[in-house]
Structure formats: C-alpha cells, structure tokens
C-alpha cells in the first residue's frame, strides 16, 4: 500500500476503533459484549499457541538441563577432587603411622642394646658399587657416618656401611652373598658364621658340629674387634632348618632373618657401640605359651529317692 492521504486516514480510523473496543471490553468486565469474540479467537488460535509453546518448551528445558548439568558436573568435579585429597591424606596418614611404628621399634632396639644410632631413611636400592644387594641412605660423612658401621632397624641386623659420601652412604645388606657376620646362639652361645643367599634364608655354619640345635632357636651378632663392622647382640634371625652333620666337624643351619629386606624404610646406623655386650637382651620377647584348658570332671550325685538294696528284703 502506498503512503497516501487515504491510507493515513484509514490507519487513524482503525486505531480509534481499536481503542474504543478495548475501552468497551474493560468497562464491561465479565459481561463484556466482546467476550464471545474473545472466546472464539481463543478457540481458533489456542492450538497454534500450544504447538508453539510445546515447540519452545523443550528448547528451554534443554537449556535449563544443560545449565543444571554444568552445575552438577562442577559439583561432581569438586567432590572427586575432595575425595582425592582425602585419599591422599589417608594414605599419608597410614604411611606416617607405619613409619612411626618402625621408629618406635628402632628406638626400643637401640635403647635395649645401648646402641648410639643415627636415624636414616632408605632412598635408593640397587646394584650400587658393584654389589648385588645394597641400599642407599640419606646420611653421610657430614652426619658422622663412617665405613664399616653396623646398620639396624626395629627388627634386627640390616647390614653394614661400605661406602660413604658427604650426604649419602651405601649399605651392604645381610642377604648379599658377599656378606658374612659372626653369630652366637641364644642361651647355648654356640658360635658360627652367617652368610647371605639373596632372597633365600641365611646360611649359618656352626663351629661345633655336635651342637644341639633345634628349629626355632635364635641368633644374635657375636660382634667384631673394636665393634667394627659389627656390634654385639643385634638380632639376626631364627632357625628354620637344621641340616644333618654327616660326620662333618661343623654344623649347617638355615636361618630366616628377622628383617624384611623388601620393606626397608627407617634404619639406624650405629655410630656409638654399647659399653657392654647386651647378649640376648635385644631379642624380642617370646610369645607366651597358651595355657591348657582346665579339665572339668562331672560326678553324678545319687538321687535321694533311690531305693536301698537292703530295704528290698
């Protein structure tokens, strides 16, 4: 339609009629004469409006769902991060508790044997310095560590120091095939030499081929001259097998070491030997033998109503 005078007058007239109808509808309220027309329009355009609404609502719901999904995702991420922190903290707490137990055991052994020790942590393991079974400690000459000092932990003999640097040192483990230490049997004081055999039990050769040894007997270190490389009284292990002598002048034993070498962590380097030989006092106490259960004997008491054989006559 062209913009002419007639078209402008028609537009003004239509606007005036629209305002008049609105005024009549508002003043009429529920009795408005236009109510019928409004209902007819609602019937005609209602389905269209519903279809439009049903088409628009899924989009709105999807947007809301995505927004809620982001919120849930962020919350899940926060919870996962918190769980990770908790697991790390629990793991750290468990490790700290285990290390605390090891340190307490080490202190007990050092205190009982009167060993002056320098605490250390195992920081490496491997074929260092040409040896097959060694560990590296985080202490060295700056900490007063010297070569040929005894190394122990809360269970017993770990090994001896072989190489010392300013801040680290290398320890030859008691299970190394090149490792040998003098031993003494508990109570009987029979002497021998223990040699490492890798991941197998220690091989102990007693000097007395007629020594009476049984499974479960225990050994400690005999000690060296000037207490180097070994101080006396350190627990070595327990006899698991006694080999037949076969007429030999010596006797061979298989001994399971007290120390679990695959789980070394906290150790102590003996920097001051004991004033006197602790002998067997450092060995762990033996478990108490279970007491036999008391035997209960039940004796039947004759009934008061029983018939006396003499009364039958």
């Amino acid at each position: 339609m062209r913009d002419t005078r007639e078209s402008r007058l028609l537009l003004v007239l239509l606007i005036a009629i629209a305002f008049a109808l609105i005024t009549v509808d508002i003043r009429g309220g529920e009795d408005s004469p236009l109510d019928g027309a409004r209902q007819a329009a609602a019937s005609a355009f209602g389905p269209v409006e519903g279809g439009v609404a049903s088409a628009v609502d899924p989009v709105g719901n999807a947007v809301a769902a995505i927004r809620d999904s982001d919120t849930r995702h962020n919350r899940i991420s926060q919870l996962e991060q918190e769980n990770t922190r908790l697991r790390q903290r629990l793991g750290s707490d468990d490790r700290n508790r285990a290390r605390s137990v090891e340190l307490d055991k080490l202190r007990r052994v050092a205190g009982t044997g009167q060993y002056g020790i320098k605490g250390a942590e195992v920081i490496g393991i491997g074929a260092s310095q040409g040896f097959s079974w060694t560990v590296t400690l985080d202490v060295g000459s700056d900490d007063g560590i010297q070569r040929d000092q005894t190394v122990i932990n809360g269970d017993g003999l770990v090994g001896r120091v072989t190489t010392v640097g300013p801040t680290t040192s290398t320890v030859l483990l008691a299970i190394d095939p090149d490792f040998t230490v003098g031993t003494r049997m508990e109570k009987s004081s029979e002497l021998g030499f223990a040699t490492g055999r890798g991941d197998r039990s220690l091989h102990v050769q007693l000097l007395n081929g007629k020594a009476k040894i049984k499974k479960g007997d225990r050994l400690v270190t005999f000690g060296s001259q000037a207490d180097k490389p070994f101080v006396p009284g350190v627990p070595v292990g327990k006899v698991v097998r006694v080999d037949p002598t076969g007429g030999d002048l010596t006797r061979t034993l298989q001994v399971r070491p007290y120390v679990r070498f695959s789980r070394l962590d906290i150790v102590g380097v003996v920097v001051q030997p004991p004033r006197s030989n602790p002998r067997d006092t450092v060995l762990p106490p033996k478990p108490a033998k279970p007491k036999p259960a008391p035997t209960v004997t039940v004796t039947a008491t004759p009934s008061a109503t029983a018939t006396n054989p003499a009364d039958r006559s």
Side-chain angles (χ1 to χ4, degrees):
M1 180 182 296
R2 291 183 299 174
D3 187 12
T4 60
R5 181 179 180 185
E6 291 79 3
S7 63
R8 287 197 295 270
L9 289 175
L10 179 60
L11 179 60
V12 172
L13 179 60
L14 291 175
I15 293 174
I17 293 172
F19 275 107
L21 292 174
I22 293 173
T23 303
V24 171
D25 185 41
I26 293 174
R27 290 181 178 180
E30 294 180 356
D31 298 330
S32 172
L34 300 178
D35 185 60
R38 185 168 56 249
Q39 292 180 359
S43 299
F45 294 102
V48 178
E49 182 184 28
V52 173
S54 63
V56 174
D57 283 347
V59 177
N61 292 336
V63 173
I66 292 173
R67 185 187 306 112
D68 293 340
S69 176
D70 290 340
T71 303
R72 288 194 298 269
H73 178 72
N74 292 336
R75 179 57 179 163
I76 291 173
S77 297
Q78 293 175 358
L79 291 175
E80 289 177 347
Q81 293 174 3
E82 183 65 21
N83 288 337
T84 300
R85 286 193 294 268
L86 288 174
R87 284 194 298 268
Q88 291 174 348
R89 181 177 178 182
L90 288 174
S92 177
D93 290 344
D94 290 342
R95 184 169 184 268
N96 288 336
R97 282 193 291 268
R99 289 163 66 90
S100 178
V101 171
E102 287 297 317
L103 185 58
D104 289 341
K105 290 168 60 178
L106 176 60
R107 288 172 176 170
R108 182 194 65 81
V109 168
T112 304
Q114 296 299 303
Y115 307 127
I117 63 170
K118 179 68 177 180
E121 181 178 358
V122 175
I123 59 174
I125 183 170
S128 176
Q129 304 296 326
F131 298 125
S132 299
W133 299 85
T134 61
V135 294
T136 302
L137 306 183
D138 63 347
V139 292
S141 58
D142 293 347
D143 305 288
I145 306 302
Q146 299 177 7
R147 187 181 178 188
D148 286 336
Q149 288 179 328
T150 309
V151 182
I152 64 175
N153 72 354
D155 296 317
L157 179 66
V158 172
R160 63 181 176 88
V161 178
T162 56
T163 306
V164 180
T167 59
T168 61
S169 54
T170 301
V171 176
L172 180 67
L173 300 180
I175 55 176
D176 188 275
D178 290 335
F179 186 96
T180 301
V181 57
T183 62
R184 184 178 57 79
M185 299 297 303
E186 180 185 15
K187 295 182 180 179
S188 69
S189 297
E190 293 287 351
L191 303 181
F193 295 95
T195 303
R197 297 196 303 169
D199 56 356
R200 295 181 293 172
S201 57
L202 301 177
H203 180 278
V204 178
Q205 191 171 37
L206 295 182
L207 300 181
N208 182 6
K210 298 181 180 180
K212 295 182 179 180
I213 306 297
K214 64 181 183 299
K215 184 178 179 180
D217 287 349
R218 305 186 296 180
L219 301 85
V220 298
T221 56
F222 177 69
S224 307
Q225 185 176 7
D227 298 308
K228 284 190 175 184
F230 302 110
V231 295
V234 179
V236 175
K238 182 184 299 185
V239 176
V240 293
R241 193 180 76 185
V242 180
D243 294 337
T245 58
D248 296 336
L249 298 178
T250 60
R251 190 158 202 180
T252 303
L253 313 175
Q254 308 301 325
V255 174
R256 182 175 63 243
Y258 284 119
V259 174
R260 290 178 291 181
F261 292 93
S262 62
R263 300 177 60 180
L264 288 175
D265 186 9
I266 303 297
V267 300
V269 181
V270 180
V271 295
Q272 183 176 354
R275 296 179 181 178
S276 59
N277 190 337
R279 300 189 68 82
D280 301 332
T281 60
V282 187
L283 284 168
K286 291 184 177 180
K289 295 182 179 179
K291 296 181 179 180
T295 303
V296 179
T297 303
V298 179
T299 304
T301 303
S303 175
T305 59
T307 304
N308 192 330
D311 295 339
R312 295 178 181 176
S313 60

